[in-house]
Amino acid sequence: MTTSGFGGEVSEYYQRFRRGYPPEVADALAAAFALTRDDVVLDLGCGTGQLTRVLAPRAGAVLGMDPEPAMLAQARRATAESNVTWLLGEDSDVGALTPLLGRGRLAAVSVAQALHWMDHERLFAAVRPLLRPGGGIAVVTNGEPLWLQDTAWSAALREVVSAYLGTPVHRTCGTDDASQQRYAAALAAAGYAVTSAVVEYSAPLSVEEITGGVFSAMSPEQLPGPDARPAFTERVREAVAPHGPLRERVRVRLLTGTR
């Protein structure tokens, strides 16, 4: 699993500004895998734990696993749930969990906003021995990137970010239809029964939230220096101001493969 390096201050922006998940998302996952308080769930590529924490009340234990120590440090500080454990590791380490947990011990493996960093075909195969009957894997995308949405303010933001980076921004982070279809086909090829669902909601956005969201997606090398951040924020403010009031329509896509 090769990341762009969500360390240092980037992990702080990630924790502060990445959207969490509404309860309906955890409810849908709990229903898909018939979760009970006897179950263990692995949230792989958990970041700072936005989905991990929402899943905690719906299982006996939740393991949040990520390859970036700074992200896990943020997750620990933000977590009050006593049934959550944080593990340092990446998708290629999943097979090593079998002797630790035992075969058939996991009810679900969730991968939220992270599968585009992983070898998904290898992962889908490696997960199967860990799953109990009726368990499965969930691929979750928490809306499209702020700079790729079908709104006037997003188009204006895209121009600002592209100008700052010196290159067009076009990475969809696995939220596009082609990626979703590729993941669904790979799940089916690995022997899973595949279903999909969408949870939609709308929420207001501030310029600070937009800028913080952009910073949370940068590598530490791309992040503007502290003295340059106010000017970057002002450029974003000027660009999106004609398109207010600012709101984001979020489509949380749930792609589930059941064993």
Side-chain angles (χ1 to χ4, degrees), residues 2 5 27 31 43 51 56 63 65 82 96 105 120 168 184 188 191 196 239-240 244:
T2 303
D27 291 342
D43 186 23
L51 183 59
L63 309 175
M65 189 171 179
S82 61
R105 185 65 185 95
H120 62 274
S196 62
V240 302

Side-chain angles (χ1 to χ4, degrees), residues 99-136:
L100 176 66
L101 299 175
R103 294 176 67 89
R105 185 65 185 95
L106 291 179
V109 174
S110 57
V111 186
Q113 296 292 111
L115 193 61
H116 56 290
W117 296 113
M118 304 179 187
D119 182 341
H120 62 274
E121 293 179 343
R122 178 179 174 181
L123 174 65
F124 295 163
V127 162
R128 282 187 65 87
L130 283 160
L131 296 172
R132 63 154 167 75

